[in-house]
Amino acid sequence: MHDQQPPAVSVIMPVLNEERHLRTSVRHILEQEYAGELEVVIALGPSTDRTDEIAAELVKEDSRVHTVANPTGRTPAALNAAIKASRHPIVVRVDGHGMLSPNYIATAVRLLEETGAQNVGGIMHAEGENAWEQAVAAAMTSRIGVGNAAFHTGGAAGAAETVYLGVFRREALERQGGYNEEFIRAQDWELNFRIREAGGLIWFSPELLVSYRPRPNVRALAKQYKDYGRWRHVVARYHQGSINLRYLAAPTAVVAIAAGLVVGATVTPWGLVVPAGYLAAITAGSVPAGKGLPAGARLRIPVALATMHMSWGFGFLTSPRSLAKKVIASRRPAVKAG
């Protein structure tokens, strides 16, 4: 049984403006410690940097690398195009700034086998290359930054609602018709929801590690988290039972701080207790988060935390109902096997 060839694997990558990390990301895939056959399908959005040139070089250098066009630039469309252009029974999703650990694919394939899951995933291990990115990475892997999400902070292996990226059985993806392209963000959550509704298992394991490069500045981080919040509210409206207290923390903080500032400026200085309390909390919380980091990174952690919390909360609060209506209209029922 053991001398059997492991299943062939297709790695799908949605990329847009990834000149900085694409080559390294693909190298981490091609150098996997995996005995099975491997192909990489890069779905190219309309990048404004050198991403397409780098992708063309990678195709020339290694016959396992292919590209496919994604004119919309949207992630779910890229993923579906790459799934369609790929051919192997196991499908691994990797982003253009994600770095797989050396035995990631071998471990994922083993876990699919052991657990019978339709999709397995692990930890989004944020790692920075400079002081700002290190600060964001620390914020993204701390409880004060992201609450108790296992794929950010680790935890025991087990059944999960959703996982970071994911390693799928192709039949599970095809049965559900791939990603819902109306979900510009949170498309993983929505697909995993349908897989679970159809009786499939989603499995989280801390053995699976993907290094992730954070956004390079405050503005990019704010946009990322605003989008997360906006789409999390869409998901909450799409699926009534999916909201929990962790998701309400940031919007509540935004409202409380805004109210505190207004009251502090117009009625009584006591209103400023709320924003001051928040600042004290994130400053205190950034101390354990920044353990072992250089001073420049430690000083920036409160800025990263505030950017993440406030942007997420603002995105959640301002998410238009019309967006949820459009997405709900595109709802696809889960398809059960057989």
Side-chain angles (χ1 to χ4, degrees), residues 89-91 118-119 165-170 173 179 191 195:
I90 306 289
V91 178
Q118 302 293 322
N119 179 20
L165 300 177
V167 176
F168 298 84
R169 296 175 189 270
R170 176 179 294 276
L173 285 175
Y179 290 85
L191 174 61
I195 291 173

Side-chain angles (χ1 to χ4, degrees), residues 64-85:
R64 294 172 293 173
V65 181
H66 315 281
T67 57
V68 61
N70 171 36
T72 67
R74 291 176 165 184
T75 306
L79 291 164
N80 285 343
I83 291 165
K84 217 170 145 184

Side-chain angles (χ1 to χ4, degrees), residues 132-316:
W132 165 253
E133 289 178 5
Q134 287 169 341
V136 177
M140 286 178 84
T141 48
S142 69
R143 283 182 179 261
I144 190 167
V146 292
N148 58 356
F151 68 83
H152 282 299
T153 57
E161 236 189 44
T162 190
V163 286
Y164 178 55
L165 300 177
V167 176
F168 298 84
R169 296 175 189 270
R170 176 179 294 276
E171 69 247 29
L173 285 175
E174 290 183 347
R175 191 180 303 129
Q176 300 308 334
Y179 290 85
N180 180 333
E181 295 189 11
E182 292 296 340
F183 273 85
I184 313 297
R185 293 272 179 284
Q187 65 280 131
D188 324 26
W189 183 91
E190 193 277 338
L191 174 61
N192 286 319
F193 173 65
R194 278 183 287 137
I195 291 173
R196 285 186 293 115
E197 252 193 342
L201 174 67
I202 310 293
W203 189 262
F204 165 81
S205 170
E207 286 182 80
L208 294 171
L209 198 70
V210 182
S211 293
Y212 165 91
R213 299 289 184 260
R215 295 297 192 270
N217 52 49
V218 171
R219 196 170 152 191
L221 183 70
K223 184 187 181 317
Q224 179 187 18
Y225 272 78
K226 191 189 95 182
D227 285 349
Y228 282 171
R230 182 184 171 105
W231 281 92
R232 188 64 233 191
H233 205 160
V234 171
V235 164
R237 286 170 168 150
Y238 179 91
H239 171 45
Q240 298 299 306
S242 75
I243 205 72
N244 64 33
L245 290 174
R246 176 161 65 95
Y247 297 128
L248 298 175
T252 306
V254 170
V255 171
I257 288 165
L261 289 171
V262 170
V263 170
T266 58
V267 184
T268 165
W270 284 106
L272 299 175
V273 165
V274 177
Y278 172 75
L279 280 178
I282 60 171
T283 305
S286 69
V287 174
K291 234 164 102 178
L293 288 179
R298 290 208 304 270
L299 288 171
R300 289 170 171 83
I301 294 173
V303 181
L305 286 169
T307 304
M308 285 159 57
H309 292 158
M310 295 298 107
S311 304
W312 202 102
F314 179 76
F316 189 92

Side-chain angles (χ1 to χ4, degrees), residues 22-23 42 44 50-62 65-67:
L22 182 61
R23 178 171 282 281
I42 304 171
L44 294 169
R50 290 189 58 250
T51 298
D52 289 18
E53 284 168 57
I54 293 164
E57 286 164 16
L58 290 164
V59 169
K60 262 198 202 125
E61 289 160 21
D62 197 305
V65 181
H66 315 281
T67 57

Side-chain angles (χ1 to χ4, degrees), residues 90-161:
I90 306 289
V91 178
V92 178
R93 174 183 171 178
V94 181
D95 287 341
H97 45 265
M99 314 291 159
L100 299 185
S101 48
N103 59 353
Y104 180 88
I105 291 175
T107 306
V109 170
R110 172 176 61 75
L111 289 168
L112 284 172
E113 193 59 41
E114 284 174 5
T115 61
Q118 302 293 322
N119 179 20
V120 298
I123 294 176
M124 175 181 181
H125 181 61
E127 279 184 334
E129 294 177 337
N130 56 39
W132 165 253
E133 289 178 5
Q134 287 169 341
V136 177
M140 286 178 84
T141 48
S142 69
R143 283 182 179 261
I144 190 167
V146 292
N148 58 356
F151 68 83
H152 282 299
T153 57
E161 236 189 44

Side-chain angles (χ1 to χ4, degrees), residues 23-40:
R23 178 171 282 281
T24 317
S25 186
V26 171
R27 195 184 72 234
H28 278 78
I29 298 164
L30 297 174
E31 291 175 1
Q32 283 290 298
E33 293 161 9
Y34 186 65
E37 201 186 325
L38 196 71
E39 68 169 351
V40 182

